[in-house]
Amino acid sequence: MPGPYTIAHVTPYPWESGHEVNEQVRRVCDELAARGHRVLIVAPSGSHELVREGRRAVRNANGDLLRDGDEPRVLAVGEALPPLPGRARAGAAVPLDVARTVQELFERVALDICHVHEPFAPSVASVALRHSRALNVGSFHAPTERVVSTQVARKVVELVFGRLDARLASYGATRTLLQRFFPGEYRVVAPGADAVPRAVDAGGAGRPVTIGFVDIEERAAMRLFLRALRRLDTDLDWRAVVQSARGPSSSTPLRADLRARVEFVPHADEAALLARADVLVAASDGSAPQPGLVLRAQAAGAVPLVSRLPVYEVVTGDGECGVVFEVRDPDALAAGLARLVTNQGLRERLRAATSPRPWSAVADELEDVYAHVAGRRHDGRENPEVRERIRSRPLIDVDLHMHTDHSGDCATPVEVLLQTAKAQGLGAIAVTDHNEISGALAARELAAGYGVKVIVAEEIKTGSQGEVIGLFLSEKIPRGLTLAETVAEIRRQGGLVYVPHPFDRMHAVPDYEHLLDIVEEVDAIEVYNPRVAIGSFNEEPARFAAKYRIPAGTGSDAHVAQGLGSVRVRMRDFDGPEQFMESLREADILTKPSSLLYVQALKFLQTKATPPAARRARRERRVRRATRKG
């Protein structure tokens, strides 16, 4: 068994709503907890008392909210709004003040996996995905388009979904829809269903055939169902049970003789209705299909009669274990009902062809997903022997990202860079010119005169997947290769793969998916860059490094000498890449206040605003001064 893991399942729907996503979360979490995992269920709630209790538990948490062997714990993190009149369930809107509680939860509780369900904004699930510090798994259930997310705010949604380390879809139709709008790899993990014993009076000889309908699809579905009942032959022996919060009110009134056959019951025990139904009708036009309802009906022994939607065709096995009728066609629905009512042999054959999927099989697949994403963490890469050798070495300050005038956007001579590094008290620097190592090689030749160790490095621009730094290089790597090819070339030279300013949309960076493709090959990640204009762009790489347990680095990204050493890594002195990595694993990140506007203005003045002749003259003066001081 993989793990055990500490897992949070986050649902956007009020826990008491009876939503099928919540039912799936509940059953999966029961299975996972029974296997030894520690499981939290995070959800909004309609109960003010449960929300107060949940927030109190988060505030008082000391690293964990669960002990080994506990059952899943439901943590209500925000009070949900009540459903609108005539609706059985509340929606997935974000309760007020939920973000602070969710953020505090992730700060206080050490989670391995954050499994969010339907993480579309605004919802508790999307808030959790924004604040998660764990490995993120996202499950998508509904096979219908969310227009706001896919049309209006697609770019923003793509950024949020970029934080997912694995994407799951409950149905093939859901995967097809999501791949159209949010391309990526989606694994289908179909939901399960609990077997429900048949009611003692269900399907008995001489009893009318019971047609069940649960009013959780769109409103038009029940109207279509009632219109189809009006078309049924009155000589057929049937009755209908409709579970609806709206009761018998409908724009499609029934004749007196039909009203006697149709029983309306409130939303209470869906399982009891399904257990007594011979046939279950799902008549959605595609606006709000409920495939989970069809699966539950099959598990209860009711034969599904469903509209011809891709997701319904999947769950009925393309007609192998159900009957399909054309969408929005009451005559076709009536004909399907007549066929099932009059043909007991057909009902029995379709019922026998159904094999409900157990929840244990769903838990098996989820454990496999969790093990896959957790297996990409950089655990067990330490070398205790090397660490012991450097333990007595002195601590030095290191700047891992800077440029010389061998980069086209920098005017700092190598000599000035070395003299400034010495003045700043740096023991080592990585010279990372853009697509060039000549500056780094020149710095290494002169380094002894300044008492500064130089790591030969290069910041390489890939073809279309951002930039990556190779540390400890011996040869220049050409720009324009793919990210994977660039990483392979760094490895060929025995270098280290260092990712600069990841997730900063103002730099050329690998997006989340591309970074996941090479995460096993990444040696270190720059978790702080003072030239990043938006603070959250520095927070995201810190989260990424922590959840994949990748050593963290930092560098000034200095394009002017005045910015050098504004951030630094304090680490044991090292020789070569192996000792460097062992030292970096236990290093400290140090920062000091600096002005981004100031260094950016200096960069502009020294490169763009100064005429070439003046730049050359200024360079000569600076080199002479730096050489004398060196």
Side-chain angles (χ1 to χ4, degrees):
M1 180 190 71
Y5 304 120
T6 301
I7 308 164
H9 275 256
V10 187
T11 171
Y13 302 105
W15 188 241
E16 307 84 1
S17 67
H19 197 283
E20 65 178 39
V21 169
N22 288 0
E23 176 63 15
Q24 181 169 342
V25 168
R26 182 184 68 81
R27 289 296 289 111
V28 161
C29 289
D30 286 344
E31 287 285 340
L32 292 172
R35 299 177 183 206
H37 303 287
R38 296 182 293 175
V39 186
L40 279 174
I41 298 173
V42 180
S45 171
S47 167
H48 181 65
E49 182 58 36
L50 283 179
V51 173
R52 288 178 55 190
E53 180 184 325
R55 290 178 172 172
R56 190 183 308 118
V58 171
R59 286 195 302 269
N60 296 335
N62 282 323
D64 210 340
L65 288 169
L66 291 171
R67 297 180 301 275
D68 293 335
D70 277 354
E71 295 181 351
R73 177 172 185 174
V74 179
L75 202 65
V77 294
E79 190 165 357
L81 298 174
L84 297 173
R87 296 187 63 180
R89 297 170 178 172
V94 178
L96 297 177
D97 199 31
V98 73
R100 182 173 61 183
T101 303
V102 171
Q103 182 176 5
E104 192 172 7
L105 169 65
F106 284 107
E107 290 173 350
R108 291 176 175 269
V109 180
L111 294 170
D112 295 300
I113 307 289
C114 173
H115 191 145
V116 291
H117 296 263
E118 303 285 35
F120 295 96
S123 70
V124 171
S126 68
V127 171
L129 188 54
R130 284 204 310 274
H131 293 288
S132 171
R133 297 164 181 256
L135 297 163
N136 298 316
V137 176
S139 280
F140 299 87
H141 305 277
T144 52
E145 180 182 353
R146 296 171 181 254
V147 175
V148 172
S149 295
T150 58
Q151 305 294 337
V152 180
R154 187 191 303 185
K155 292 297 183 184
V156 176
V157 175
E158 283 178 341
L159 291 177
V160 176
F161 285 2
R163 299 178 180 181
L164 292 171
D165 303 286
R167 305 184 187 199
L168 312 180
S170 287
Y171 309 99
T174 307
R175 176 175 62 183
T176 300
L177 176 73
L178 287 164
Q179 285 177 330
R180 184 191 316 159
F181 296 105
F182 307 108
E185 182 179 344
Y186 295 83
R187 173 173 172 174
V188 175
V189 178
D194 288 313
V196 177
R198 298 289 289 160
V200 292
D201 61 342
R207 298 181 183 276
V209 174
T210 300
I211 302 169
F213 184 88
V214 180
D215 184 22
I216 57 175
E217 299 172 304
E218 70 276 6
R219 185 181 294 265
M222 189 164 91
R223 290 200 297 266
L224 181 71
F225 172 66
L226 296 179
R227 285 201 297 271
L229 292 185
R230 294 177 62 189
R231 289 162 167 78
L232 270 181
D233 189 336
T234 55
D235 293 334
L236 299 180
D237 193 15
W238 61 270
R239 64 172 180 158
V241 181
V242 179
Q243 190 179 71
S244 173
R246 294 194 293 268
S249 63
S250 171
S251 59
T252 307
L254 298 175
R255 299 187 308 271
D257 60 330
L258 289 181
R259 284 201 299 271
R261 295 190 180 199
V262 181
E263 175 189 1
F264 284 87
V265 298
H267 268 280
D269 190 353
E270 178 193 276
L273 182 152
L274 297 177
R276 58 193 280 216
D278 298 292
V279 177
L280 184 283
V281 174
S284 173
D285 61 10
S287 301
Q290 299 293 324
L293 169 65
V294 179
L295 292 174
R296 294 193 297 276
Q298 291 173 319
V303 175
L305 174 58
V306 299
S307 51
R308 192 178 296 281
L309 300 174
V311 68
Y312 282 169
E313 290 181 302
V314 168
V315 297
T316 58
D318 291 326
E320 291 295 320
C321 50
V323 176
V324 180
F325 69 90
E326 296 304 321
V327 177
R328 302 189 188 92
D329 189 339
D331 293 317
L333 174 52
L337 284 170
R339 183 182 173 204
L340 287 170
V341 167
T342 58
N343 194 334
Q344 181 179 356
L346 174 62
R347 297 197 305 270
E348 291 176 353
R349 179 176 63 80
L350 294 174
R351 188 178 296 124
T354 301
S355 178
R357 174 173 162 84
W359 287 108
S360 58
V362 182
D364 287 342
E365 289 200 60
L366 291 185
E367 281 190 322
D368 183 59
V369 172
Y370 299 157
H372 174 70
V373 295
R376 307 184 79 182
R377 294 187 295 199
H378 287 213
D379 292 326
R381 299 194 178 191
E382 299 87 353
N383 189 324
E385 294 181 4
V386 174
R387 182 171 297 179
E388 186 61 33
R389 287 204 300 270
I390 64 173
R391 190 172 300 279
S392 60
R393 296 275 189 93
L395 291 170
I396 60 172
D397 288 354
V398 183
D399 189 330
L400 292 175
H401 190 177
M402 67 192 63
H403 300 274
T404 73
D405 57 5
H406 291 247
S407 284
D409 58 350
C410 178
T412 306
V414 169
E415 294 85 352
V416 175
L417 186 78
L418 291 168
Q419 173 56 36
T420 307
K422 177 182 177 181
Q424 288 288 337
L426 294 172
I429 59 175
V431 179
T432 59
D433 286 325
H434 294 292
N435 310 302
E436 185 56 70
I437 66 167
S438 56
L441 293 173
R444 187 175 64 180
E445 291 297 319
L446 299 173
Y450 295 85
V452 178
K453 184 174 295 184
V454 171
I455 300 171
V456 175
E458 179 185 356
E459 187 171 8
I460 309 131
K461 182 73 172 290
T462 66
S464 61
Q465 298 166 317
E467 295 175 321
V468 64
I469 288 176
L471 301 173
F472 297 96
L473 299 181
S474 56
E475 303 171 16
K476 173 182 172 180
I477 297 175
R479 64 177 295 171
L481 303 176
T482 67
L483 184 59
E485 290 170 341
T486 304
V487 168
E489 179 59 22
I490 295 171
R491 284 277 180 256
R492 185 188 68 80
Q493 297 187 33
L496 301 175
V497 178
Y498 180 50
V499 181
H501 43 65
F503 314 120
D504 176 10
R505 297 297 166 180
M506 296 184 177
H507 281 86
V509 297
D511 60 28
Y512 209 106
E513 288 79 7
H514 288 139
L515 200 52
L516 285 179
D517 288 341
I518 63 161
V519 68
E520 290 93 346
E521 297 295 332
V522 173
D523 294 297
I525 285 183
E526 186 175 78
V527 300
Y528 185 82
N529 184 308
R531 294 184 65 242
V532 169
I534 300 175
S536 62
F537 290 166
N538 272 326
E539 295 170 4
E540 188 64 25
R543 280 195 291 263
F544 188 92
K547 69 182 181 178
Y548 278 108
R549 300 172 185 174
I550 301 173
T554 190
S556 61
D557 196 3
H559 287 67
V560 295
Q562 289 85 344
L564 191 64
S566 56
V567 297
R568 54 187 70 193
V569 184
R570 182 157 292 169
M571 56 194 295
R572 296 289 175 186
D573 197 2
F574 55 87
D575 293 310
E578 189 177 39
Q579 291 186 5
F580 171 86
M581 282 305 306
E582 288 307 312
S583 181
L584 188 63
R585 295 184 203 283
E586 297 184 341
D588 294 320
I589 305 293
L590 307 179
T591 65
K592 65 179 182 179
S594 62
S595 171
L596 175 61
L597 179 61
Y598 171 65
V599 294
Q600 288 295 86
L602 284 178
K603 175 185 172 183
F604 173 76
L605 291 173
Q606 292 180 16
T607 56
K608 303 294 184 182
T610 306
R615 284 206 301 268
R616 287 194 295 271
R618 184 173 185 274
R619 183 186 188 283
E620 292 173 359
R621 291 195 301 271
R622 297 175 73 192
V623 168
R624 285 196 297 270
R625 287 198 299 269
T627 303
R628 287 198 301 270
K629 293 179 180 178

